[in-house]
Every structure is written in C-alpha cells, then in structure tokens.
Amino acid sequence: MEHEPTAALIRAQLRRLRLKAELSQEEFGKLVHFSGSQVSAVELGQRPLDRFFLSRADEVLATGGLLMSLLKLAERDGQPSWFRPWLEAERQAQQLRCYQPNLVPGLLQTENYARAIIRTDGSLSDDEVERRLAIRMDRQCLLPQPQLTTFVAVIDEVVLRRAGEGFRGLMGEQVAHLVECVERSEVSVHIIPAEVSVHIGLTGPFTLARGVDGGWIGYLENQLGGTVIEKDEDLAVLQSRWESVRSEALPRGQSIELMKEVMTSWS
C-alpha cells in the first residue's frame, strides 16, 4: 500500500537525483541492477516502489538514505487512520508495557518469526508479506531511542513452547533473541509460568505507552486490526489489568532462566 503524495515525492526525488548525477535510465539501471525500462516504470508510477531498488539508489546516488527514509514515511502514512495515533505514541514513548498471551510481541520478534506469523494470513501475496515484514522490522528501531527508558513485556510460557517439528529451529532463534533483548538496560521480559492456568490477561493482549507529557495511551489487538484507547476510564482498566498480569509473572532473573531452559529444549 503506497501513500500517493509521498510516493509521488519519492519518484520525483529519484528522477531529480538521477538527472543531477547525469545518468540515463539505462545507465542508472545497470548500477542498481534493474533494466532501464524498470527504472522508467518506477519513475512513472507504473511499478510499485521497491525497497531493494531504493536502497541501491540511495547508495549509487549518495543520498544519505533519503529515498529509504521517504519510503518509511510513505509506509507509515499508508497505515489505516486508526493505527497512526498508536504508531506515533509508540515512537515517542518513554515507557512501553506490553502483555501478550499468544505471540512474542512484535517489537521483540525476529525476522523469521515475524515472517512466519504474517504468512498465516493466506490471503496475502509474497510481496505484501515482505512489505508488512519490513514495516514491522523498521518499528523495532525505536528500542534504542534515548527517550525510551523502559520496555516491559509480559508473555505466557505457552508462547515460548508453541512449536511444531518444522518450527523448532525458528523458535530456538526467537527465544535466544529474547534473551539477548533483556541484556539491554531498557528491556525486561517476564514470563507467566504455565502452572498459572487462569488469569485476567487471557481475555486478550494489550499495550500501554507513556508519553513525554506523562500521559498514557493504550492499544488493543483483534482479528480485524486494533483499537487505540485514550479514554481515562478505559486506560485505568488496562493499568489495573497490567498490574494483575505483571504480578503473575516471574521476576526478571527467573524469567531469563526459564527462557534459557526453553531455548535449550529447542536446540
């Protein structure tokens, strides 16, 4: 999905930079490993913007990453209108609190795990799977941001142990990544052990973000997308449920040991 005003800007900048470099479409195509006709199709809007193409174009034209930065803006602008407030809240958050009963949280997913999850939607083309994957991986760049002081994730143990025969290596990689993530000072992962069979969090995943102004915003995932939560009374309910699921989870050290034990079982 392309956001047309931003996509048009990318194409215009690409053409301007190519002409400034005094390269024909054929000459430029050879440098970025595309044909001249493919370059023409991109510039005219007859071919979708391609991440590999724009990444190579940034290198060849020495743009400092301009085209890829514009593409990320286009992808963000192309998100559903209801999702944009959450993306902005997530990007500017000082604190993030995430509970997930079924999956590893998106900000902590490996590329292989994320691709496998996205592919469960059989209606998506391979190109759309890769586009959504790229957006998810790009969102992860917020973790090292200086304003994000804490990201706390609570995950049910069943999430770590859900793997069929063809999924074992992928899950081993994913759990190892979680262990690496908690080595960062701002990231904590806490596991609710399997023996806690019933708790309030099982009604569904949610995330809370605290902004620089001290205010909170919430996000609820569902089968059709998600809902951004901004009402004070609804946020109070989510904060109460966060305290409940957090209290059921193991402390940081015990959670790490459990993750390592699971990781060993998958290897």
Side-chain angles (χ1 to χ4, degrees):
M1 180 190 304
E2 292 181 4
H3 190 256
E4 280 309 312
T6 314
L9 174 62
I10 294 172
R11 295 188 180 98
Q13 288 296 317
L14 173 64
R15 178 176 171 78
R16 181 186 68 82
L17 291 165
R18 177 180 62 76
L19 293 175
K20 184 179 179 181
E22 300 182 345
L23 293 169
S24 70
Q25 290 178 335
E26 287 291 340
E27 291 168 335
F28 180 66
K30 290 179 181 178
L31 294 173
V32 296
H33 309 306
F34 278 71
S35 68
S37 61
Q38 288 174 319
V39 173
S40 175
V42 170
E43 291 185 354
L44 292 173
Q46 298 168 348
R47 177 189 174 100
L49 295 170
D50 181 276
R51 298 178 74 84
F52 174 77
F53 176 89
L54 292 180
S55 178
R56 286 288 300 157
D58 275 332
E59 294 177 14
V60 169
L61 299 170
T63 69
L66 171 65
L67 298 174
M68 281 298 295
S69 295
L70 288 173
L71 179 62
K72 290 177 183 179
L73 283 175
E75 290 173 336
R76 189 172 67 188
D77 291 343
Q79 294 294 323
S81 58
W82 54 262
F83 193 45
R84 291 175 203 161
W86 173 251
L87 288 178
E88 189 63 18
E90 186 182 69
R91 187 177 67 83
Q92 297 185 3
Q94 282 191 327
Q95 296 180 35
L96 283 170
R97 297 173 173 176
C98 176
Y99 167 67
Q100 255 294 355
N102 303 310
L103 300 169
V104 173
L107 293 178
L108 300 177
Q109 291 177 3
T110 64
E111 183 172 321
N112 288 331
Y113 181 94
R115 182 182 288 108
I117 296 302
I118 295 169
R119 275 183 175 162
T120 59
D121 184 346
S123 68
L124 301 180
S125 67
D126 288 344
D127 287 345
E128 179 62 13
V129 168
E130 293 304 312
R131 188 190 73 83
R132 295 190 183 194
L133 174 66
I135 293 172
R136 186 168 301 183
M137 293 298 103
D138 285 342
R139 284 173 62 196
Q140 294 186 0
C141 72
L142 70 86
L143 288 180
Q145 295 295 340
Q147 82 277 0
L148 183 64
T149 58
T150 55
F151 174 35
V152 183
V154 174
I155 309 171
D156 278 38
E157 182 180 349
V158 66
V159 173
L160 307 181
R161 297 192 182 277
R162 182 181 290 118
E165 272 307 309
F167 206 61
R168 294 175 67 90
L170 186 153
M171 260 330 280
E173 175 190 61
Q174 175 60 73
V175 179
H177 178 66
L178 286 177
V179 174
E180 291 175 6
C181 286
V182 298
E183 293 176 355
R184 306 177 190 174
S185 59
E186 77 275 13
V187 178
S188 292
V189 177
H190 299 271
I191 310 300
I192 297 180
E195 55 262 30
V196 182
S197 55
V198 178
H199 59 84
I200 191 64
L202 295 178
T203 54
F206 61 91
T207 307
L208 290 159
R210 182 177 183 271
V212 293
D213 61 353
W216 290 87
I217 185 171
Y219 179 66
L220 301 178
E221 297 179 44
N222 59 58
Q223 286 286 338
L224 297 179
T227 304
V228 176
I229 306 299
E230 298 182 273
K231 291 182 179 179
D232 289 343
E233 57 267 34
D234 293 335
L235 288 169
V237 172
L238 290 182
Q239 292 285 12
S240 174
R241 296 196 174 186
W242 168 259
E243 294 301 328
S244 178
V245 297
R246 177 65 186 85
S247 68
E248 297 285 3
L250 297 171
R252 180 187 179 101
Q254 290 181 32
S255 294
I256 293 173
E257 289 305 311
L258 178 55
M259 286 188 284
K260 288 181 177 179
E261 185 270 316
V262 172
M263 184 171 61
T264 300
S265 73
W266 290 137
S267 62

